Amino acid sequence: MIRMLKAFFKENDKKIVFAFLSLYILVIISMIIQLTMGNYQNVFYCILALILFLIPYFIDKKTAITLPNTLEITILFFIFATTVLGEIRNFYTTFPHWDTMLHTLSGFLCAAIGFSLVNILNHSNRSFMHLSPIFVALVAFCFSMTIGVLWEFFEFAGDTYLNKDMQKDEIVTKISSVKLNQKKENVPVLLDSIDKTIIYSNHYKKTVIIENGYLDIGLTDTMKDLFVNFIGAILFSVLGFFYLKKQEGYKIAELFIPKLKEKK
């Protein structure tokens, strides 16, 4: 481990080393605090973050792909923002748009990765065909959206089997449903002014009253996440398209596109 860290510090740019060290130290401090408090689930999140921090290094070291500095630093901060700030420091609840920001960034980064995979194949000597810029951008978009959907599947599984509430509940003020149609017709009945909802658990003998609406169990959150993932994916796909078209103003895309290492 020590040898690996020494190699990392020696081979990487000072900006990446600084970002890595800063976040690594913050995670370790957070892990020690959570350990003393007996919050072992949060300790697991810290260990997970420390492991995930090493992924960019292994990609750069063990594959023929090199990650741009901007992408690598963004990935490190993304991991820190989701695990330590989001889960342990409860930013998901404290800052209402924290999750939205991260899903937008995730859509953007996944599109960049999907874009690079196709672009690398495009420039490979073994490739028997070369795809047009519009098709590369389309694949990048579809790749990002697929990752977003798979993540929502994961959140749904966590809620269903582990009762984690990863798909955050929200208070919704109206219902439009055919289930409320007393004539059993396929015509939705609209309740657009819900005063309160009463939830009673016969098992726990508890009653919960929700004022001014009812408790949506994750559908709204899921659709919001997919929508902002869509925005992030579209944004990078457009940047990537014009980047391939050699438009000078869109070279910002290059900062997030992994490339093949140059042969020495």
mmCIF file of all heavy atoms in Angstrom, residues 151-192:
data_model
loop_
_atom_site.group_PDB
_atom_site.id
_atom_site.type_symbol
_atom_site.label_atom_id
_atom_site.label_comp_id
_atom_site.label_asym_id
_atom_site.label_seq_id
_atom_site.Cartn_x
_atom_site.Cartn_y
_atom_site.Cartn_z
ATOM 1 N N TRP A 151 -28.730 2.586 -11.817
ATOM 2 C CA TRP A 151 -28.592 3.100 -10.454
ATOM 3 C C TRP A 151 -29.948 3.188 -9.764
ATOM 4 O O TRP A 151 -30.071 2.867 -8.576
ATOM 5 C CB TRP A 151 -27.908 4.459 -10.450
ATOM 6 C CG TRP A 151 -27.826 5.030 -9.064
ATOM 7 C CD1 TRP A 151 -28.585 6.032 -8.526
ATOM 8 C CD2 TRP A 151 -26.961 4.578 -8.010
ATOM 9 N NE1 TRP A 151 -28.252 6.242 -7.216
ATOM 10 C CE2 TRP A 151 -27.258 5.378 -6.862
ATOM 11 C CE3 TRP A 151 -25.970 3.601 -7.923
ATOM 12 C CZ2 TRP A 151 -26.588 5.200 -5.652
ATOM 13 C CZ3 TRP A 151 -25.307 3.432 -6.710
ATOM 14 C CH2 TRP A 151 -25.619 4.227 -5.596
ATOM 15 N N GLU A 152 -30.965 3.602 -10.488
ATOM 16 C CA GLU A 152 -32.307 3.668 -9.898
ATOM 17 C C GLU A 152 -32.828 2.271 -9.567
ATOM 18 O O GLU A 152 -33.542 2.088 -8.579
ATOM 19 C CB GLU A 152 -33.274 4.393 -10.844
ATOM 20 C CG GLU A 152 -32.962 5.869 -11.051
ATOM 21 C CD GLU A 152 -32.910 6.665 -9.752
ATOM 22 O OE1 GLU A 152 -33.744 6.409 -8.863
ATOM 23 O OE2 GLU A 152 -32.025 7.529 -9.633
ATOM 24 N N PHE A 153 -32.476 1.268 -10.379
ATOM 25 C CA PHE A 153 -32.798 -0.122 -10.042
ATOM 26 C C PHE A 153 -32.151 -0.505 -8.709
ATOM 27 O O PHE A 153 -32.757 -1.160 -7.867
ATOM 28 C CB PHE A 153 -32.295 -1.072 -11.138
ATOM 29 C CG PHE A 153 -33.121 -1.067 -12.391
ATOM 30 C CD1 PHE A 153 -32.656 -1.694 -13.541
ATOM 31 C CD2 PHE A 153 -34.361 -0.443 -12.444
ATOM 32 C CE1 PHE A 153 -33.408 -1.697 -14.705
ATOM 33 C CE2 PHE A 153 -35.122 -0.430 -13.608
ATOM 34 C CZ PHE A 153 -34.641 -1.062 -14.737
ATOM 35 N N PHE A 154 -30.881 -0.080 -8.548
ATOM 36 C CA PHE A 154 -30.144 -0.369 -7.313
ATOM 37 C C PHE A 154 -30.811 0.294 -6.108
ATOM 38 O O PHE A 154 -30.971 -0.320 -5.051
ATOM 39 C CB PHE A 154 -28.694 0.116 -7.458
ATOM 40 C CG PHE A 154 -27.884 0.002 -6.205
ATOM 41 C CD1 PHE A 154 -27.422 -1.227 -5.772
ATOM 42 C CD2 PHE A 154 -27.579 1.138 -5.455
ATOM 43 C CE1 PHE A 154 -26.673 -1.334 -4.602
ATOM 44 C CE2 PHE A 154 -26.833 1.038 -4.293
ATOM 45 C CZ PHE A 154 -26.374 -0.197 -3.861
ATOM 46 N N GLU A 155 -31.219 1.559 -6.280
ATOM 47 C CA GLU A 155 -31.894 2.262 -5.190
ATOM 48 C C GLU A 155 -33.227 1.583 -4.845
ATOM 49 O O GLU A 155 -33.569 1.436 -3.667
ATOM 50 C CB GLU A 155 -32.133 3.727 -5.578
ATOM 51 C CG GLU A 155 -30.882 4.577 -5.572
ATOM 52 C CD GLU A 155 -31.192 6.061 -5.677
ATOM 53 O OE1 GLU A 155 -32.359 6.402 -5.988
ATOM 54 O OE2 GLU A 155 -30.278 6.880 -5.443
ATOM 55 N N PHE A 156 -33.965 1.167 -5.865
ATOM 56 C CA PHE A 156 -35.240 0.483 -5.635
ATOM 57 C C PHE A 156 -35.032 -0.820 -4.883
ATOM 58 O O PHE A 156 -35.791 -1.161 -3.967
ATOM 59 C CB PHE A 156 -35.928 0.219 -6.974
ATOM 60 C CG PHE A 156 -37.223 -0.534 -6.843
ATOM 61 C CD1 PHE A 156 -38.371 0.112 -6.394
ATOM 62 C CD2 PHE A 156 -37.294 -1.881 -7.153
ATOM 63 C CE1 PHE A 156 -39.570 -0.572 -6.264
ATOM 64 C CE2 PHE A 156 -38.482 -2.576 -7.031
ATOM 65 C CZ PHE A 156 -39.623 -1.929 -6.583
ATOM 66 N N ALA A 157 -33.973 -1.564 -5.250
ATOM 67 C CA ALA A 157 -33.667 -2.810 -4.551
ATOM 68 C C ALA A 157 -33.298 -2.541 -3.092
ATOM 69 O O ALA A 157 -33.709 -3.278 -2.190
ATOM 70 C CB ALA A 157 -32.522 -3.537 -5.262
ATOM 71 N N GLY A 158 -32.534 -1.464 -2.866
ATOM 72 C CA GLY A 158 -32.179 -1.105 -1.496
ATOM 73 C C GLY A 158 -33.392 -0.757 -0.651
ATOM 74 O O GLY A 158 -33.473 -1.111 0.527
ATOM 75 N N ASP A 159 -34.351 -0.065 -1.262
ATOM 76 C CA ASP A 159 -35.581 0.297 -0.549
ATOM 77 C C ASP A 159 -36.462 -0.924 -0.304
ATOM 78 O O ASP A 159 -37.058 -1.079 0.768
ATOM 79 C CB ASP A 159 -36.373 1.335 -1.344
ATOM 80 C CG ASP A 159 -35.653 2.674 -1.427
ATOM 81 O OD1 ASP A 159 -34.634 2.837 -0.740
ATOM 82 O OD2 ASP A 159 -36.099 3.540 -2.188
ATOM 83 N N THR A 160 -36.542 -1.810 -1.305
ATOM 84 C CA THR A 160 -37.448 -2.951 -1.225
ATOM 85 C C THR A 160 -36.956 -4.019 -0.254
ATOM 86 O O THR A 160 -37.734 -4.542 0.560
ATOM 87 C CB THR A 160 -37.642 -3.582 -2.623
ATOM 88 O OG1 THR A 160 -38.139 -2.585 -3.521
ATOM 89 C CG2 THR A 160 -38.625 -4.749 -2.562
ATOM 90 N N TYR A 161 -35.660 -4.327 -0.315
ATOM 91 C CA TYR A 161 -35.146 -5.460 0.453
ATOM 92 C C TYR A 161 -34.386 -5.060 1.715
ATOM 93 O O TYR A 161 -34.255 -5.866 2.638
ATOM 94 C CB TYR A 161 -34.235 -6.307 -0.439
ATOM 95 C CG TYR A 161 -34.962 -6.844 -1.656
ATOM 96 C CD1 TYR A 161 -34.682 -6.353 -2.934
ATOM 97 C CD2 TYR A 161 -35.935 -7.823 -1.528
ATOM 98 C CE1 TYR A 161 -35.354 -6.831 -4.051
ATOM 99 C CE2 TYR A 161 -36.612 -8.313 -2.646
ATOM 100 C CZ TYR A 161 -36.316 -7.806 -3.893
ATOM 101 O OH TYR A 161 -36.998 -8.286 -4.989
ATOM 102 N N LEU A 162 -33.886 -3.818 1.765
ATOM 103 C CA LEU A 162 -33.119 -3.387 2.938
ATOM 104 C C LEU A 162 -33.778 -2.234 3.682
ATOM 105 O O LEU A 162 -33.248 -1.783 4.707
ATOM 106 C CB LEU A 162 -31.697 -2.971 2.505
ATOM 107 C CG LEU A 162 -30.864 -4.056 1.814
ATOM 108 C CD1 LEU A 162 -29.521 -3.483 1.374
ATOM 109 C CD2 LEU A 162 -30.649 -5.253 2.741
ATOM 110 N N ASN A 163 -34.927 -1.740 3.159
ATOM 111 C CA ASN A 163 -35.655 -0.634 3.793
ATOM 112 C C ASN A 163 -34.778 0.599 4.012
ATOM 113 O O ASN A 163 -34.808 1.222 5.074
ATOM 114 C CB ASN A 163 -36.243 -1.090 5.135
ATOM 115 C CG ASN A 163 -37.173 -2.273 4.976
ATOM 116 O OD1 ASN A 163 -38.005 -2.308 4.076
ATOM 117 N ND2 ASN A 163 -37.032 -3.265 5.848
ATOM 118 N N LYS A 164 -34.002 0.977 2.980
ATOM 119 C CA LYS A 164 -33.029 2.060 3.115
ATOM 120 C C LYS A 164 -33.590 3.432 2.763
ATOM 121 O O LYS A 164 -33.004 4.445 3.111
ATOM 122 C CB LYS A 164 -31.812 1.784 2.223
ATOM 123 C CG LYS A 164 -31.051 0.527 2.574
ATOM 124 C CD LYS A 164 -30.515 0.557 3.981
ATOM 125 C CE LYS A 164 -29.457 1.625 4.132
ATOM 126 N NZ LYS A 164 -28.897 1.658 5.502
ATOM 127 N N ASP A 165 -34.698 3.517 2.062
ATOM 128 C CA ASP A 165 -35.256 4.796 1.602
ATOM 129 C C ASP A 165 -34.233 5.582 0.779
ATOM 130 O O ASP A 165 -33.995 6.766 0.997
ATOM 131 C CB ASP A 165 -35.751 5.640 2.780
ATOM 132 C CG ASP A 165 -36.592 6.831 2.302
ATOM 133 O OD1 ASP A 165 -37.154 6.747 1.201
ATOM 134 O OD2 ASP A 165 -36.678 7.841 3.026
ATOM 135 N N MET A 166 -33.585 4.907 -0.161
ATOM 136 C CA MET A 166 -32.660 5.582 -1.069
ATOM 137 C C MET A 166 -33.423 6.453 -2.060
ATOM 138 O O MET A 166 -32.939 7.508 -2.472
ATOM 139 C CB MET A 166 -31.804 4.552 -1.806
ATOM 140 C CG MET A 166 -30.928 3.713 -0.891
ATOM 141 S SD MET A 166 -29.949 2.484 -1.782
ATOM 142 C CE MET A 166 -28.739 3.519 -2.603
ATOM 143 N N GLN A 167 -34.603 6.004 -2.468
ATOM 144 C CA GLN A 167 -35.489 6.826 -3.292
ATOM 145 C C GLN A 167 -36.328 7.666 -2.329
ATOM 146 O O GLN A 167 -37.349 7.222 -1.831
ATOM 147 C CB GLN A 167 -36.377 5.943 -4.169
ATOM 148 C CG GLN A 167 -35.585 5.124 -5.180
ATOM 149 C CD GLN A 167 -36.466 4.119 -5.903
ATOM 150 O OE1 GLN A 167 -37.065 3.258 -5.293
ATOM 151 N NE2 GLN A 167 -36.531 4.233 -7.218
ATOM 152 N N LYS A 168 -35.865 8.859 -2.065
ATOM 153 C CA LYS A 168 -36.418 9.668 -0.984
ATOM 154 C C LYS A 168 -37.905 9.961 -1.162
ATOM 155 O O LYS A 168 -38.360 10.312 -2.254
ATOM 156 C CB LYS A 168 -35.656 10.999 -0.873
ATOM 157 C CG LYS A 168 -34.183 10.844 -0.581
ATOM 158 C CD LYS A 168 -33.904 10.058 0.685
ATOM 159 C CE LYS A 168 -32.419 9.961 0.960
ATOM 160 N NZ LYS A 168 -32.107 8.958 1.980
ATOM 161 N N ASP A 169 -38.646 9.829 -0.065
ATOM 162 C CA ASP A 169 -40.073 10.137 -0.067
ATOM 163 C C ASP A 169 -40.296 11.646 -0.135
ATOM 164 O O ASP A 169 -39.462 12.430 0.338
ATOM 165 C CB ASP A 169 -40.741 9.594 1.208
ATOM 166 C CG ASP A 169 -40.527 8.098 1.367
ATOM 167 O OD1 ASP A 169 -40.316 7.428 0.343
ATOM 168 O OD2 ASP A 169 -40.570 7.608 2.503
ATOM 169 N N GLU A 170 -41.399 12.020 -0.727
ATOM 170 C CA GLU A 170 -41.773 13.434 -0.786
ATOM 171 C C GLU A 170 -43.262 13.580 -0.488
ATOM 172 O O GLU A 170 -44.040 12.649 -0.674
ATOM 173 C CB GLU A 170 -41.459 14.019 -2.172
ATOM 174 C CG GLU A 170 -39.977 14.108 -2.487
ATOM 175 C CD GLU A 170 -39.709 14.874 -3.761
ATOM 176 O OE1 GLU A 170 -40.573 15.684 -4.155
ATOM 177 O OE2 GLU A 170 -38.642 14.682 -4.362
ATOM 178 N N ILE A 171 -43.631 14.758 -0.012
ATOM 179 C CA ILE A 171 -45.043 15.067 0.225
ATOM 180 C C ILE A 171 -45.643 15.594 -1.072
ATOM 181 O O ILE A 171 -45.176 16.593 -1.627
ATOM 182 C CB ILE A 171 -45.213 16.108 1.347
ATOM 183 C CG1 ILE A 171 -44.563 15.602 2.639
ATOM 184 C CG2 ILE A 171 -46.696 16.397 1.563
ATOM 185 C CD1 ILE A 171 -45.160 14.329 3.183
ATOM 186 N N VAL A 172 -46.661 14.897 -1.582
ATOM 187 C CA VAL A 172 -47.326 15.275 -2.822
ATOM 188 C C VAL A 172 -48.723 15.775 -2.491
ATOM 189 O O VAL A 172 -49.417 15.188 -1.649
ATOM 190 C CB VAL A 172 -47.406 14.079 -3.795
ATOM 191 C CG1 VAL A 172 -48.113 14.465 -5.078
ATOM 192 C CG2 VAL A 172 -46.008 13.562 -4.096
ATOM 193 N N THR A 173 -49.141 16.848 -3.135
ATOM 194 C CA THR A 173 -50.390 17.520 -2.741
ATOM 195 C C THR A 173 -51.600 17.128 -3.575
ATOM 196 O O THR A 173 -52.708 17.576 -3.289
ATOM 197 C CB THR A 173 -50.213 19.047 -2.831
ATOM 198 O OG1 THR A 173 -49.839 19.394 -4.174
ATOM 199 C CG2 THR A 173 -49.136 19.517 -1.867
ATOM 200 N N LYS A 174 -51.405 16.313 -4.614
ATOM 201 C CA LYS A 174 -52.569 15.924 -5.407
ATOM 202 C C LYS A 174 -52.416 14.507 -5.944
ATOM 203 O O LYS A 174 -51.298 13.999 -6.098
ATOM 204 C CB LYS A 174 -52.816 16.896 -6.561
ATOM 205 C CG LYS A 174 -51.765 16.870 -7.651
ATOM 206 C CD LYS A 174 -52.135 17.833 -8.780
ATOM 207 C CE LYS A 174 -51.110 17.780 -9.898
ATOM 208 N NZ LYS A 174 -51.471 18.684 -11.017
ATOM 209 N N ILE A 175 -53.546 13.875 -6.213
ATOM 210 C CA ILE A 175 -53.582 12.527 -6.772
ATOM 211 C C ILE A 175 -54.534 12.517 -7.958
ATOM 212 O O ILE A 175 -55.615 13.106 -7.906
ATOM 213 C CB ILE A 175 -54.089 11.496 -5.736
ATOM 214 C CG1 ILE A 175 -53.224 11.502 -4.467
ATOM 215 C CG2 ILE A 175 -54.110 10.093 -6.342
ATOM 216 C CD1 ILE A 175 -53.765 10.606 -3.379
ATOM 217 N N SER A 176 -54.143 11.822 -9.011
ATOM 218 C CA SER A 176 -55.031 11.580 -10.145
ATOM 219 C C SER A 176 -54.957 10.084 -10.428
ATOM 220 O O SER A 176 -53.960 9.597 -10.964
ATOM 221 C CB SER A 176 -54.600 12.389 -11.366
ATOM 222 O OG SER A 176 -55.456 12.125 -12.459
ATOM 223 N N SER A 177 -56.000 9.342 -10.037
ATOM 224 C CA SER A 177 -55.926 7.895 -10.093
ATOM 225 C C SER A 177 -57.268 7.264 -10.444
ATOM 226 O O SER A 177 -58.318 7.692 -9.947
ATOM 227 C CB SER A 177 -55.442 7.344 -8.748
ATOM 228 O OG SER A 177 -55.505 5.941 -8.717
ATOM 229 N N VAL A 178 -57.223 6.204 -11.264
ATOM 230 C CA VAL A 178 -58.440 5.456 -11.588
ATOM 231 C C VAL A 178 -58.869 4.576 -10.418
ATOM 232 O O VAL A 178 -60.008 4.116 -10.363
ATOM 233 C CB VAL A 178 -58.233 4.587 -12.852
ATOM 234 C CG1 VAL A 178 -57.965 5.457 -14.059
ATOM 235 C CG2 VAL A 178 -57.093 3.591 -12.648
ATOM 236 N N LYS A 179 -57.942 4.331 -9.472
ATOM 237 C CA LYS A 179 -58.278 3.534 -8.290
ATOM 238 C C LYS A 179 -59.347 4.218 -7.444
ATOM 239 O O LYS A 179 -60.067 3.572 -6.682
ATOM 240 C CB LYS A 179 -57.027 3.305 -7.442
ATOM 241 C CG LYS A 179 -56.040 2.308 -8.008
ATOM 242 C CD LYS A 179 -56.547 0.888 -7.891
ATOM 243 C CE LYS A 179 -55.493 -0.121 -8.306
ATOM 244 N NZ LYS A 179 -56.006 -1.511 -8.228
ATOM 245 N N LEU A 180 -59.450 5.540 -7.569
ATOM 246 C CA LEU A 180 -60.421 6.297 -6.773
ATOM 247 C C LEU A 180 -61.774 6.411 -7.476
ATOM 248 O O LEU A 180 -62.708 7.001 -6.925
ATOM 249 C CB LEU A 180 -59.869 7.700 -6.495
ATOM 250 C CG LEU A 180 -58.533 7.756 -5.737
ATOM 251 C CD1 LEU A 180 -58.062 9.200 -5.607
ATOM 252 C CD2 LEU A 180 -58.658 7.110 -4.371
ATOM 253 N N ASN A 181 -61.877 5.863 -8.670
ATOM 254 C CA ASN A 181 -63.136 5.925 -9.416
ATOM 255 C C ASN A 181 -64.102 4.877 -8.871
ATOM 256 O O ASN A 181 -63.901 3.669 -9.034
ATOM 257 C CB ASN A 181 -62.882 5.669 -10.910
ATOM 258 C CG ASN A 181 -64.081 6.018 -11.767
ATOM 259 O OD1 ASN A 181 -65.203 5.616 -11.482
ATOM 260 N ND2 ASN A 181 -63.833 6.769 -12.838
ATOM 261 N N GLN A 182 -65.132 5.339 -8.199
ATOM 262 C CA GLN A 182 -66.076 4.432 -7.552
ATOM 263 C C GLN A 182 -66.919 3.658 -8.554
ATOM 264 O O GLN A 182 -67.494 2.610 -8.229
ATOM 265 C CB GLN A 182 -66.977 5.217 -6.598
ATOM 266 C CG GLN A 182 -66.205 5.857 -5.453
ATOM 267 C CD GLN A 182 -67.108 6.628 -4.502
ATOM 268 O OE1 GLN A 182 -68.289 6.812 -4.768
ATOM 269 N NE2 GLN A 182 -66.528 7.073 -3.390
ATOM 270 N N LYS A 183 -67.008 4.130 -9.802
ATOM 271 C CA LYS A 183 -67.774 3.432 -10.837
ATOM 272 C C LYS A 183 -66.930 2.380 -11.555
ATOM 273 O O LYS A 183 -67.404 1.733 -12.493
ATOM 274 C CB LYS A 183 -68.306 4.440 -11.844
ATOM 275 C CG LYS A 183 -69.306 5.436 -11.258
ATOM 276 C CD LYS A 183 -69.799 6.398 -12.325
ATOM 277 C CE LYS A 183 -70.801 7.395 -11.743
ATOM 278 N NZ LYS A 183 -71.292 8.347 -12.788
ATOM 279 N N LYS A 184 -65.670 2.221 -11.136
ATOM 280 C CA LYS A 184 -64.758 1.240 -11.722
ATOM 281 C C LYS A 184 -64.482 1.512 -13.207
ATOM 282 O O LYS A 184 -64.194 0.601 -13.987
ATOM 283 C CB LYS A 184 -65.293 -0.184 -11.558
ATOM 284 C CG LYS A 184 -65.625 -0.580 -10.132
ATOM 285 C CD LYS A 184 -64.399 -0.509 -9.235
ATOM 286 C CE LYS A 184 -64.761 -0.930 -7.800
ATOM 287 N NZ LYS A 184 -63.587 -0.833 -6.885
ATOM 288 N N GLU A 185 -64.580 2.775 -13.604
ATOM 289 C CA GLU A 185 -64.297 3.155 -14.971
ATOM 290 C C GLU A 185 -62.823 3.534 -15.118
ATOM 291 O O GLU A 185 -62.163 3.911 -14.135
ATOM 292 C CB GLU A 185 -65.173 4.342 -15.393
ATOM 293 C CG GLU A 185 -66.660 4.041 -15.373
ATOM 294 C CD GLU A 185 -67.510 5.267 -15.664
ATOM 295 O OE1 GLU A 185 -66.955 6.391 -15.569
ATOM 296 O OE2 GLU A 185 -68.702 5.102 -15.971
ATOM 297 N N ASN A 186 -62.333 3.443 -16.343
ATOM 298 C CA ASN A 186 -60.937 3.797 -16.585
ATOM 299 C C ASN A 186 -60.786 5.303 -16.795
ATOM 300 O O ASN A 186 -60.243 5.783 -17.787
ATOM 301 C CB ASN A 186 -60.414 3.035 -17.811
ATOM 302 C CG ASN A 186 -58.906 3.167 -17.960
ATOM 303 O OD1 ASN A 186 -58.192 3.326 -16.984
ATOM 304 N ND2 ASN A 186 -58.434 3.133 -19.196
ATOM 305 N N VAL A 187 -61.300 6.044 -15.825
ATOM 306 C CA VAL A 187 -61.269 7.502 -15.844
ATOM 307 C C VAL A 187 -60.659 7.972 -14.524
ATOM 308 O O VAL A 187 -61.198 7.664 -13.455
ATOM 309 C CB VAL A 187 -62.671 8.106 -16.014
ATOM 310 C CG1 VAL A 187 -62.592 9.631 -16.000
ATOM 311 C CG2 VAL A 187 -63.314 7.615 -17.298
ATOM 312 N N PRO A 188 -59.528 8.672 -14.569
ATOM 313 C CA PRO A 188 -58.894 9.090 -13.313
ATOM 314 C C PRO A 188 -59.719 10.130 -12.561
ATOM 315 O O PRO A 188 -60.336 11.007 -13.153
ATOM 316 C CB PRO A 188 -57.559 9.694 -13.776
ATOM 317 C CG PRO A 188 -57.800 10.110 -15.184
ATOM 318 C CD PRO A 188 -58.774 9.123 -15.752
ATOM 319 N N VAL A 189 -59.707 9.995 -11.243
ATOM 320 C CA VAL A 189 -60.350 10.960 -10.364
ATOM 321 C C VAL A 189 -59.265 11.854 -9.779
ATOM 322 O O VAL A 189 -58.262 11.365 -9.252
ATOM 323 C CB VAL A 189 -61.125 10.260 -9.238
ATOM 324 C CG1 VAL A 189 -61.671 11.282 -8.246
ATOM 325 C CG2 VAL A 189 -62.261 9.434 -9.827
ATOM 326 N N LEU A 190 -59.463 13.168 -9.880
ATOM 327 C CA LEU A 190 -58.449 14.115 -9.423
ATOM 328 C C LEU A 190 -58.785 14.646 -8.041
ATOM 329 O O LEU A 190 -59.866 15.159 -7.805
ATOM 330 C CB LEU A 190 -58.343 15.285 -10.412
ATOM 331 C CG LEU A 190 -57.406 16.430 -10.004
ATOM 332 C CD1 LEU A 190 -55.966 15.946 -9.911
ATOM 333 C CD2 LEU A 190 -57.526 17.589 -10.986
ATOM 334 N N LEU A 191 -57.829 14.489 -7.119
ATOM 335 C CA LEU A 191 -57.897 15.139 -5.809
ATOM 336 C C LEU A 191 -56.744 16.130 -5.770
ATOM 337 O O LEU A 191 -55.592 15.742 -5.565
ATOM 338 C CB LEU A 191 -57.770 14.107 -4.681
ATOM 339 C CG LEU A 191 -58.845 13.018 -4.586
ATOM 340 C CD1 LEU A 191 -58.553 12.085 -3.416
ATOM 341 C CD2 LEU A 191 -60.224 13.634 -4.440
ATOM 342 N N ASP A 192 -57.029 17.386 -5.980
ATOM 343 C CA ASP A 192 -55.970 18.389 -6.098
ATOM 344 C C ASP A 192 -55.811 19.262 -4.870
ATOM 345 O O ASP A 192 -55.082 20.249 -4.888
ATOM 346 C CB ASP A 192 -56.197 19.262 -7.328
ATOM 347 C CG ASP A 192 -57.538 19.974 -7.306
ATOM 348 O OD1 ASP A 192 -58.310 19.725 -6.362
ATOM 349 O OD2 ASP A 192 -57.801 20.767 -8.220
#
